[in-house]
Every structure is written in structure tokens, then in C-alpha cells.
Amino acid sequence: MTQMNLMRLSDLSRDNMYDNAGVYNPSGNTAYGYNGEKVGTVRDALVDPSSGRIRYLILDVGGWFSSKEVVVPVGDARFDDSGVYFDNLTKDQVRDLEEYRYDQTYTDTHFQQTNERVLRAADTDETAYRERAYRTPDRLQLLEERLTVNKERFKAGAVEIGKHVETRQEQVNVGLQREEVVIERHAVTDARPVDGAVLGAASETVRVDLEAERANVGKQAYVVEEVEIGKRTVTDTQTVTETVGREVLDVNKTGEVRMQDGDTTTSTTMTDTDRNNNGRR
């Protein structure tokens, strides 16, 4: 059998050597082993360069102070939204796996001689194991649209605050004093003689100055009110309505088909279209 050199999935994606729309990329997922114990992280995958089909997963199983990457056949993995699970892989098996080196070229049969002795049980048929171990997973991702609402600030309006002068007529009653001349005349009952004649006497005038008060009107400004100007934020709830779509799974079965759903295997001999609106079988 002709051997084929494998390539890293990241290299194929970077070089645009294939359409990756139908290929599941598990890079970055946490890897769990026997009893759900964390064994490392999936860093990359080795794939068939002609089709992009995954053959091996590259696991980073190093610790805080060490670094080691190993490869595990993709068929030994169980994929879940929470990570990649190797239900039969123990930490001892991880330690015994051959270390992967990025500067080395690997063929599709290279690890059959090295890692299978660790991963394949002695009582397991070699052909049956390889058929399962190198079966590439197909994962169909169902998409669902969800509304995303962003908020932006805009100038909704403005308020101008100023002041102006209003006038009004105001009357104030003020008491003012003034002086008046008071003339009192008294008849003399006991007449007294004076010198001289009346006709030849000089005229006499008495001057009396009178004082009075007058109102001097002035104006004085007083503070009668203070106005404080500020802003506050209030929250209003607005309902946004939009149409969204989602993908649902369509399964068409024709003829003698055996389908495995979890732990259940079903068989049918007739044409049957199964539409699952929840996107799960």
C-alpha cells in the first residue's frame, strides 16, 4: 500500500488548500481521558491533504514545567460541546505515546507501529481496531440566528436656560413732613404808649423759612431665587422586533439503513424523511 504524507490541519487552512466548510476543526478543545480526567488540550490535527479528513489529533499533554505533544487516532475520540473525550485513554497511556515533532514528516501508517501497541488491547482485532480508530468524525453544525442589539448615544435635544428682565409698576406710601407758618394774633387790653407817630414810622417785614421733606426714590436688587442646572440619566425600555432564522436537521433514509443514535440502533427498509425541528436525532 502506498504511504501518504500527512499535513497539519492548520497548515491546510492557512494555505487555503481545501474548502473547510465540511471539516470539523477540534483545535483548542480540552481533552479528557478515562473517568473524565483532564489529559491535555487539542492543539492541531493530522489530516489527509487530498481531502482534509482528520486521521490523528495532536494533544498537548505537558504540565507547568514540561512540554510534550502526542498524537491519538481520531476514532478513539468522542466529541462533545464541552470538549474532546478519550474514554479509554489513561494518563499512563498518554505518557507512553510517541512524542510528536513539528519538524518531522509523518505518513498515514507511521503511528500504526508505534502507538497502536499502547492503545489497542491485545484481544482486539487489528483490522477492526484500525477501521474504528481512523474513522473521521463528521459534525454538522446547525446554525441559529439571534438578535444582537447595540446601543449608541445621540443628541436627542437641548435645553437653553437664561434670564430676562420684566418690569411692573410698584407704589410705596411715604410719609413726608413739611413746615407751615402759624400766625397767632392777640388783642392788647392794656395799651402801652410808644414813641413816634404811626404815619411816619418805617415799614417792617419778618421772613420765616419753611422746611419740608421730599421723597428720593432709588432701586436695590435682591436675590429672591436660585436655580441649579444639572443632568440625570433615566432608562426607558424599548421592544425591538426582528425576524430570525435557524437551521433544522433533515434526515433522509432510503432502503436498508442502520442508524445509531446514542445507544440506540434503528433499521428501516422503506423511504422515510425525518425532520427534527429541535436539530437533534
Side-chain angles (χ1 to χ4, degrees):
M1 179 182 296
T2 304
Q3 294 184 345
M4 173 182 56
N5 291 336
L6 301 177
M7 291 188 65
R8 291 188 296 272
L9 178 61
S10 58
D11 290 341
L12 287 180
S13 177
R14 180 193 62 205
D15 297 337
N16 296 321
M17 296 178 63
Y18 74 103
D19 180 8
N20 63 354
V23 178
Y24 174 57
N25 187 352
S27 300
N29 286 323
T30 301
Y32 300 92
Y34 183 71
N35 285 336
E37 184 179 18
K38 180 180 178 180
V39 295
T41 303
V42 179
R43 294 303 183 195
D44 210 332
L46 291 178
V47 300
D48 179 347
S50 63
S51 64
R53 308 290 284 183
I54 299 176
R55 298 295 302 275
Y56 297 92
L57 298 179
I58 302 176
L59 301 186
D60 182 352
V61 296
W64 285 99
F65 303 104
S66 62
S67 176
K68 182 180 181 180
E69 291 184 343
V70 299
V71 296
V72 182
V74 68
D76 287 338
R78 175 173 60 87
F79 297 93
D80 190 90
D81 291 338
S82 59
V84 179
Y85 291 83
F86 300 92
D87 296 323
N88 298 317
L89 182 64
T90 65
K91 279 199 169 184
D92 289 338
Q93 288 176 309
V94 171
R95 184 189 59 221
D96 294 337
L97 292 176
E98 179 182 352
E99 183 174 2
Y100 173 77
R101 301 185 183 279
Y102 277 81
D103 57 353
Q104 183 173 338
T105 300
Y106 294 94
T107 66
D108 56 341
T109 61
H110 174 88
F111 297 103
Q112 291 179 359
Q113 289 76 30
T114 56
N115 284 353
E116 279 188 17
R117 61 179 177 82
V118 178
L119 300 175
R120 182 169 63 87
D123 56 351
T124 302
D125 179 73
E126 179 180 292
T127 302
Y129 171 78
R130 291 182 178 177
E131 181 181 351
R132 176 186 60 81
Y134 304 111
R135 182 176 61 245
T136 302
D138 292 321
R139 171 171 286 197
L140 178 63
Q141 295 180 334
L142 302 182
L143 305 181
E144 178 182 82
E145 294 178 330
R146 297 182 180 180
L147 291 181
T148 58
V149 180
N150 296 319
K151 297 186 292 185
E152 63 176 354
R153 299 188 68 86
F154 68 99
K155 184 177 180 179
V159 177
E160 293 184 355
I161 299 176
K163 60 182 182 178
H164 67 279
V165 177
E166 293 181 346
T167 61
R168 72 177 185 275
Q169 296 293 326
E170 185 174 296
Q171 294 180 343
V172 179
N173 296 324
V174 181
L176 300 177
Q177 294 182 344
R178 60 185 176 85
E179 294 180 336
E180 294 181 346
V181 174
V182 178
I183 300 176
E184 295 182 357
R185 301 176 67 179
H186 303 281
V188 178
T189 59
D190 186 12
R192 297 185 298 274
V194 296
D195 296 335
V198 174
L199 293 177
S203 297
E204 293 184 6
T205 301
V206 176
R207 180 184 179 88
V208 179
D209 292 331
L210 301 177
E211 294 183 355
E213 294 178 334
R214 63 170 172 251
N216 294 323
V217 180
K219 292 184 286 186
Q220 175 65 51
Y222 294 87
V223 177
V224 295
E225 185 180 358
E226 291 183 344
V227 179
E228 293 184 357
I229 302 172
K231 298 191 298 183
R232 66 174 179 173
T233 300
V234 296
T235 301
D236 297 327
T237 301
Q238 180 179 356
T239 301
V240 180
T241 303
E242 186 54 83
T243 301
V244 298
R246 67 170 182 171
E247 298 174 336
V248 297
L249 185 63
D250 295 336
V251 179
N252 298 321
K253 298 176 291 185
T254 303
E256 183 69 26
V257 178
R258 294 183 62 84
M259 298 183 61
Q260 182 169 346
D261 181 6
D263 296 330
T264 303
T265 301
T266 60
S267 177
T268 180
T269 58
M270 60 181 293
T271 300
D272 179 21
T273 299
D274 182 6
R275 299 182 180 273
N276 188 335
N277 288 331
N278 292 324
R280 299 188 300 272
R281 282 290 306 162

